[in-house]
Amino acid sequence: MEYIGEHLLIGEIGNLFLLTGFAFGLLSTASYFIAEYKSQDDWRKLGRYSFWIHSIGVIGMVATLFTMIFNQYFEYHYIWQHSSTELPLRFIFSCFWEGIEGSFMLWMFWHVVVANILLLIIRNWESPVMAVIASIQVFLTSMLLGIYILEYKLGSNPFTVLTREHPDFVNLPIFKMPDYTSVLDGRGLNPLLQNYWMTIHPPTLFLGFSLTMIPFAYAIAGLWRKEYTAWVKPALSWTFIGIGILGIGILMGGAWAYEALSFGGFWAWDPVENASLVPWLILVGAGHLMLIQRKKGTSLFSLFLLTTLSFILIQYSSFLTKSGILGDSSVHSFTDLGMTGQLAISLLFYVVLSAVLIFWRWKDFPKNDKEDDLWSREFWMFMGSLILLISAFQIEFSTSFPVINKIFGTNLAQSADRVEYYNKWQLPLAIILSAIIGIGQFLKYKKTEPKELFKKLLLSIVMSLALTVFTAWSFSIPNPLISLFIFTSLFAVLANLDYLVRIVSGKIEHAGSSIAHIGFGLIMLGALISTSQGDVISENTSLYDVSVLGKDFNNNENILLMKDDTLLLGEYFVCYRGKETDGIFVRYEVDYMQSNEEGELESVFTLYPFVQLNPRMGNVAEPYTKHYLDRDIYTHITYAELEEREKSEDISEHNINLGDTIFGKNTFLVLDSLNRNPNKENRGLTEKDLALGANFTLYDVQTNAHAIQPLFVIRDRQYSFSIPDSVPNAGISISFEGIDPETESFAFKLKESDPKYREFIVMKAIIFPWINVLWVGCIIMALGTFLAVYHRFKKQ
C-alpha cells in the first residue's frame, strides 16, 4: 500500500546526521589517539576537524527531532509515544527528553557544547583529553543506531522506527488507511512531566552530567602521559563548574518533586534521585582533593579514584535508569529498550580503563612520606572527602539492590520506610561533614595551633549552641541526634559567616568557598527542620471513616470534606467550596479560614490542588502550596470522585426484632417499638382497616435523628399491603412487608437512593516549617560555587 502524507524525508535527514555523528566521532577518537601516540600534529588536526563534523551531526540530530516533535509527525513511533495534539506548546521540550533516545541526544548535545568550549582553551592537552571525550561520544551515538549486527540490535533509532511498522501496531485497522496520518494522534506526555520544572530540570541535570566528563578526561590523560599532577590545574575550574551545575540540577529535581508530586516533600530517596546525587557527592570530594593537591601535592591515589568515579557513576546511573532494572523500585526509571548489554559494555569499558591505568601507574605516583598534621587543613579536607565517599557508597550500595539481586540471585531489600532507612545511615555522616565544614576554613595548611583555632571558633560555637537550645525547645525535639545535627549545621553556617566577615573582610573575590559552605549548611538545616518537624494537620474531624476507601487512607492523615461543610484543620477551619474543570485539569477550591476578633470565620487564603486527567496513563493529583516566610502549607487531594455520580436506588430486605438495627449505606434505623393504633386519617386508611405501625428512629449522615413509621395494613381480612414512610433528605424509604408469628420477627424492605448526593473530597495537608531556609541555601551555595569558579578562571 502506498501511504499518503508521511514525512519520510525528515527521517532520512535525521539518519544522515546520526551516521555522520557516529562515523566522525569514531574517526576523531582514532585520530586523537594516534596523534598522542605518535606526537603528530596532522593527526591532531584531523581529530579536531572530525570532532567538529561530529558536532554538526549531533546538533543536526537534535534539530531534526525537535522539528519532528514540533510538527507532530506521529508516524514516527518516538513522536507518537511522547507527544499529542492536545499537549500545550510549552511542554514540547519535555517531549524531547522524556524517552531514552531523546535523553541520550540531550547528553550528547551538552558534551558537544562543553567539548567545543574546551577546544578553545585546551592547548597542549588536546590530544589525550579529546580522545577520551570523542570515545564517550562514540558510545553514546551507538545507543541511537538501531541497526542489527547478526541478531543483536545495536541501539534504538527515533528516526527510522515508524508507528505502522512497530510490532505492537502493525495489524491495527488504522494502518489499512492510505491517509492514516490525517487521523493519527499521539499517546501524549506523562502527566507528571507536564510541569515547567521538567522543562528546565533535565537539561540542567544533563549539563552537570556532561561536565563530569572534563575532569575524568583530564585524569585519564594525566595517567596516560604520566603527568600525575599537571592535569589538576586545567581540570580544577571545570570540576567546580560541574559541582555547581549538577548540584543545581539535583535541587531543581527536588523543587519539582515538592511542587508536582504528592508524596509530601522534596526528597524521597528514590533510586533515580540517588543515581544523580551520588556522582555529585563524589565530584565534591574530588574537587576538594584537587585543592589539597594544588597546595600540598598529596592524596594522588584518592584524587584519581574520586575523579574517575564521578564520571563512572554517571555512566552507572545511566545504566540503572535506562536498563529497566529499577522498574519495580522507582517511579522515574525508563522501560527497557533492549540496550542493557550495550549500556553495561559502555560502563565496563571506562571502569576497566580507569582501574587499569590507576593501578598500572600507582607505583610511579610521587610519594610524600610526611604525614599530614591532625590540625592541618589538608587533613580535614581529606577527611571530608572520605565522609562523602562513605556516604555515596552507602547510598549507591542500597540503590543497587535490584542489580545485586539480579546478578547473584539474592533477595536484598530496604525497609518499607525508605526515607527512614536512608536517614538512619546518612544522619551521622552529615553531622560529621557539617562540623568539618565549620572548622575547615579556619585551619591552615601544614599546621594550626589548637588553642588559636578554638579561640577563633569560640563565638560560633557559643552562638550555635544557644540557637540549638532555642530551636530544640521551640520544636520540642526529643532526639539528641537531631539536636546535634542542628548544632553542627548552625555551626557550619555561623563559622563560615564569621570567617567571611573577619578573615576575608568582605573581599568578594575570595569569598566563594565560604558562601558556598554557608549555603550548604542552610540546606542541611532547612532539610532537617522541615522534614523532621513537618506536621500533618489533616486529621479527620468529619463523621466519616476514610479508611473504608482503602488501606492507603487513614484518619490521622486524611480529612474528608463534604462540599460547603466547615471543619477544624490544625489552627485553621477549612471548607471545600467546589471544583472547576479546565481542560484536562480538575481544580478543587479549598478555603482556609480563621476566627477574627468578633469570633466570625473569615478567609485567610484559598488553595487549588488539582487532578490532571489522563485516560491513557492514569490521572495524577498535584499539590498546591501556600508559602509563608517561616512555613509552607502543602495541600493535595488523596481521593475525589472525578465523574458525576448517577442517581441509583438500592433495595434490601431485612427480618428483625424489636430493638434491632438496619444499617444502610449512609444511615441506620433502629426499630424502637410497634404502634397498634397508628393515625389512619393521614395515611389514607379507613376505620375498618387493621394497621400496625413500626416506629423507627433513623440517623442520617450528620447523626440527626428522624422519626419514621411504615405501616403494615390488612384490608377486609382478605389481603395485606404496606404503606411506606420516607425521609427524602436522607434518600431513605422503608416499607413494612409482614410479620412472622413463630419467630416474632418483622419483615421490612429498605430503599436507598442518593438524589441529594453531596460531593466530597479527601485531602492531606502538611505544614513544613522553615523550608525556605533550604531554598535560600540552594541559591547561596550555587552563587558561592560560581563565585569561586569565576575567581579561579580570573587567576588563570
Side-chain angles (χ1 to χ4, degrees):
M1 180 184 294
E2 185 174 344
Y3 290 100
I4 302 169
E6 289 185 337
H7 305 84
L8 302 182
L9 177 60
I10 194 166
E12 294 175 1
I13 293 172
N15 271 313
L16 179 62
F17 281 127
L18 173 59
L19 293 174
T20 300
F22 179 75
F24 282 91
L26 200 59
L27 179 60
S28 180
T29 303
S31 301
Y32 274 127
F33 180 84
I34 295 171
E36 178 64 17
Y37 185 71
K38 293 188 174 182
S39 300
Q40 294 183 0
D41 195 53
D42 289 341
W43 283 104
R44 182 185 59 80
K45 289 181 180 179
L46 179 59
R48 176 180 288 191
Y49 296 148
S50 299
F51 193 84
W52 284 343
I53 298 173
H54 162 80
S55 301
I56 293 171
V58 171
I59 294 170
M61 276 191 288
V62 171
T64 302
L65 190 59
F66 263 124
T67 301
M68 293 163 66
I69 294 173
F70 186 80
N71 289 286
Q72 300 180 336
Y73 294 156
F74 297 125
E75 58 266 38
Y76 290 92
H77 185 255
Y78 190 86
I79 314 304
W80 172 87
Q81 191 174 28
H82 304 293
S83 184
S84 71
T85 54
E86 297 178 354
L87 188 70
L89 184 63
R90 63 185 181 275
F91 298 131
I92 288 294
F93 288 98
S94 298
C95 294
F96 182 92
W97 42 71
E98 185 193 23
I100 289 179
E101 299 92 334
S103 66
F104 273 127
M105 275 197 212
L106 178 62
W107 198 1
M108 292 163 58
F109 170 78
W110 281 128
H111 278 179
V112 160
V113 171
V114 169
N116 277 282
I117 294 173
L118 182 65
L119 279 172
L120 299 175
I121 57 176
I122 196 169
R123 299 188 179 90
N124 64 319
W125 284 97
E126 180 178 350
S127 295
V129 168
M130 289 303 299
V132 175
I133 291 173
S135 73
I136 294 168
Q137 288 293 86
V138 170
F139 275 109
L140 290 178
T141 314
S142 72
M143 303 293 178
L144 302 178
L145 289 176
I147 60 176
Y148 282 90
I149 299 177
L150 299 177
E151 295 184 355
Y152 182 77
K153 185 181 179 183
L154 191 68
S156 176
N157 189 321
F159 301 118
T160 58
V161 182
L162 297 175
T163 301
R164 62 178 168 83
E165 295 177 352
H166 195 278
D168 293 340
F169 304 99
V170 69
N171 294 319
L172 292 180
I174 190 175
F175 299 115
K176 307 301 181 186
M177 301 167 51
D179 61 341
Y180 75 92
T181 57
S182 63
V183 295
L184 185 64
D185 195 3
R187 188 180 70 163
L189 184 67
N190 187 319
L192 287 174
L193 303 183
Q194 295 185 39
N195 182 283
Y196 67 93
W197 280 115
M198 296 312 292
T199 304
I200 57 177
H201 160 58
T204 306
L205 191 69
F206 274 93
L207 176 56
F209 286 171
S210 300
L211 287 164
T212 64
M213 172 186 68
I214 305 299
F216 172 78
Y218 269 111
I220 296 296
L223 291 166
W224 187 353
R225 283 187 170 181
K226 299 184 180 180
E227 296 183 22
Y228 302 119
T229 58
W231 65 274
V232 174
K233 182 179 179 180
L236 184 60
S237 296
W238 288 101
T239 301
F240 278 93
I241 292 175
I243 290 170
I245 292 179
L246 182 54
I248 290 172
I250 293 169
L251 294 169
M252 281 181 174
W256 164 70
Y258 183 68
E259 185 169 306
L261 299 184
S262 57
F263 67 82
F266 53 87
W267 195 264
W269 293 106
D270 182 89
V272 175
E273 293 174 338
N274 297 346
S276 59
L277 174 65
V278 167
W280 182 80
L281 293 175
I282 297 296
L283 191 64
V284 171
H288 285 80
L289 289 181
M290 287 182 188
L291 295 175
I292 297 175
Q293 203 287 323
R294 290 279 293 147
K295 287 287 185 178
K296 291 281 294 175
T298 57
S299 307
L300 268 177
F301 176 80
S302 303
L303 175 56
F304 278 114
L305 177 65
L306 266 64
T307 304
T308 53
L309 260 182
S310 62
F311 173 76
I312 288 170
L313 288 170
I314 294 291
Q315 295 280 98
Y316 182 61
S317 74
S318 180
F319 170 78
L320 286 177
T321 56
K322 295 178 173 65
S323 65
I325 201 163
L326 295 180
D328 295 331
S329 57
S330 173
V331 297
H332 298 78
S333 65
F334 295 100
T335 55
D336 184 13
L337 290 184
M339 290 192 286
T340 303
Q342 201 173 342
L343 290 164
I345 290 171
S346 173
L347 170 65
L348 288 172
F349 176 83
Y350 292 105
V351 169
V352 172
L353 175 67
S354 302
V356 168
L357 282 174
I358 289 173
F359 287 101
W360 185 22
R361 303 296 197 196
W362 187 12
K363 62 180 182 298
D364 298 329
F365 288 172
K367 299 294 187 296
N368 188 340
D369 297 330
K370 187 178 179 180
E371 293 186 2
D372 295 331
D373 189 86
L374 176 62
W375 296 106
S376 65
R377 178 178 287 195
E378 56 268 29
F379 175 81
W380 287 104
M381 286 175 70
F382 177 82
M383 291 303 296
S385 299
L386 181 61
I387 294 297
L388 290 169
L389 179 62
I390 295 170
S391 172
F393 174 79
Q394 187 276 321
I395 297 170
E396 198 71 81
F397 178 74
S398 299
T399 304
S400 300
F401 282 172
V403 180
I404 298 169
N405 292 338
K406 185 89 171 177
I407 295 173
F408 299 103
T410 53
N411 193 30
L412 297 174
Q414 301 165 9
S415 66
D417 190 338
R418 186 159 54 194
V419 173
E420 182 183 358
Y421 170 82
Y422 280 101
N423 287 349
K424 178 180 67 176
W425 286 94
Q426 294 297 315
L427 184 57
L429 297 174
I431 290 171
I432 298 171
L433 186 63
S434 51
I436 292 173
I437 289 173
I439 295 170
Q441 292 287 71
F442 288 93
L443 290 167
K444 298 176 181 178
Y445 285 102
K446 295 184 179 179
K447 189 175 182 180
T448 308
E449 288 298 326
K451 290 183 179 179
E452 180 186 349
L453 175 65
F454 181 75
K455 184 178 178 181
K456 290 178 179 178
L457 293 173
L458 183 59
L459 178 62
S460 301
I461 293 171
V462 172
M463 290 180 65
S464 301
L465 189 60
L467 285 172
T468 301
V469 171
F470 175 76
T471 304
W473 174 77
S474 299
F475 290 106
S476 302
I477 298 173
N479 190 330
L481 206 58
I482 291 179
S483 297
L484 181 58
F485 190 21
I486 291 174
F487 169 74
T488 56
S489 299
L490 285 167
F491 175 63
V493 172
L494 295 175
N496 279 277
L497 185 62
D498 184 28
Y499 182 84
L500 189 63
V501 173
R502 288 201 296 166
I503 310 301
V504 178
S505 301
K507 297 176 182 176
I508 198 70
E509 66 271 16
H510 299 293
S513 59
S514 295
I515 293 173
H517 289 157
I518 290 170
F520 183 82
L522 289 174
I523 290 173
M524 293 293 100
L525 185 63
L528 176 66
I529 293 177
S530 63
T531 54
S532 67
Q533 302 305 309
D535 184 19
V536 179
I537 59 173
S538 48
E539 182 178 356
N540 190 21
T541 54
S542 73
L543 300 173
Y544 314 103
D545 184 2
V546 298
S547 64
V548 298
L549 296 173
K551 63 178 183 179
D552 294 330
F553 297 87
N554 68 72
N555 290 290
N556 293 327
E557 295 186 352
N558 297 271
I559 186 169
L560 189 149
L561 293 172
M562 286 288 184
K563 185 178 177 181
D564 295 326
D565 278 357
T566 300
L567 295 176
L568 184 64
L569 187 79
E571 63 183 71
Y572 300 95
F573 289 90
V574 67
C575 180
Y576 167 48
R577 301 296 186 188
K579 66 184 179 183
E580 180 182 77
T581 301
D582 179 17
I584 62 171
F585 299 100
V586 182
R587 305 183 190 279
Y588 297 86
E589 182 180 350
V590 181
D591 195 13
Y592 281 75
M593 300 171 287
Q594 287 183 324
S595 298
N596 58 22
E597 294 179 356
E598 288 75 31
E600 299 173 344
L601 291 180
E602 59 181 20
S603 179
V604 181
F605 58 87
T606 302
L607 299 182
Y608 298 90
F610 62 92
V611 175
Q612 186 180 159
L613 304 177
N614 193 307
R616 289 193 181 107
M617 302 181 191
N619 302 322
V620 174
E622 298 196 27
Y624 204 96
T625 303
K626 175 65 177 177
H627 303 284
Y628 287 102
L629 183 63
D630 62 337
R631 69 195 186 281
D632 278 3
I633 301 172
Y634 174 101
T635 303
H636 73 94
I637 302 298
T638 55
Y639 181 87
E641 291 190 342
L642 299 173
E643 298 179 357
E644 296 296 330
R645 179 183 287 201
E646 296 181 359
K647 294 182 180 180
S648 62
E649 186 175 72
D650 292 337
I651 300 175
S652 57
E653 296 181 353
H654 305 268
N655 285 310
I656 62 172
N657 300 101
L658 283 173
D660 287 348
T661 301
I662 297 175
F663 289 96
K665 291 188 297 184
N666 297 308
T667 60
F668 63 94
L669 302 91
V670 180
L671 180 56
D672 298 317
S673 62
L674 298 175
N675 187 353
R676 299 179 185 275
N677 296 297
N679 189 323
K680 297 178 181 180
E681 293 180 4
N682 295 335
R683 310 295 287 269
L685 299 177
T686 67
E687 287 297 327
K688 293 182 179 181
D689 292 331
L690 298 176
L692 179 66
N695 294 324
F696 281 93
T697 302
L698 181 148
Y699 296 91
D700 63 17
V701 290
Q702 265 108 40
T703 68
N704 297 320
H706 306 266
I708 185 170
Q709 188 187 71
L711 302 181
F712 179 73
V713 181
I714 300 175
R715 177 164 288 179
D716 298 331
R717 300 182 183 275
Q718 294 180 2
Y719 64 95
S720 62
F721 59 91
S722 175
I723 297 179
D725 199 359
S726 64
V727 179
N729 288 338
I732 290 293
S733 174
I734 188 167
S735 58
F736 195 164
E737 298 296 321
I739 305 169
D740 187 345
E742 293 184 5
T743 61
E744 296 184 355
S745 64
F746 309 95
F748 298 93
K749 184 180 289 185
L750 181 69
K751 293 183 180 180
E752 297 180 271
S753 61
D754 55 355
K756 292 186 177 294
Y757 163 73
R758 295 181 66 196
E759 183 186 335
F760 73 95
I761 60 171
V762 179
M763 73 172 209
K764 187 173 184 177
I766 309 172
I767 293 180
F768 289 109
W770 295 107
I771 194 169
N772 286 328
V773 172
L774 182 146
W775 305 125
V776 170
C778 296
I779 297 170
I780 292 175
M781 186 176 74
L783 289 174
T785 302
F786 290 124
L787 183 62
V789 169
Y790 170 76
H791 177 60
R792 293 191 182 282
F793 266 123
K794 188 177 178 181
K795 284 179 66 177
Q796 289 182 9

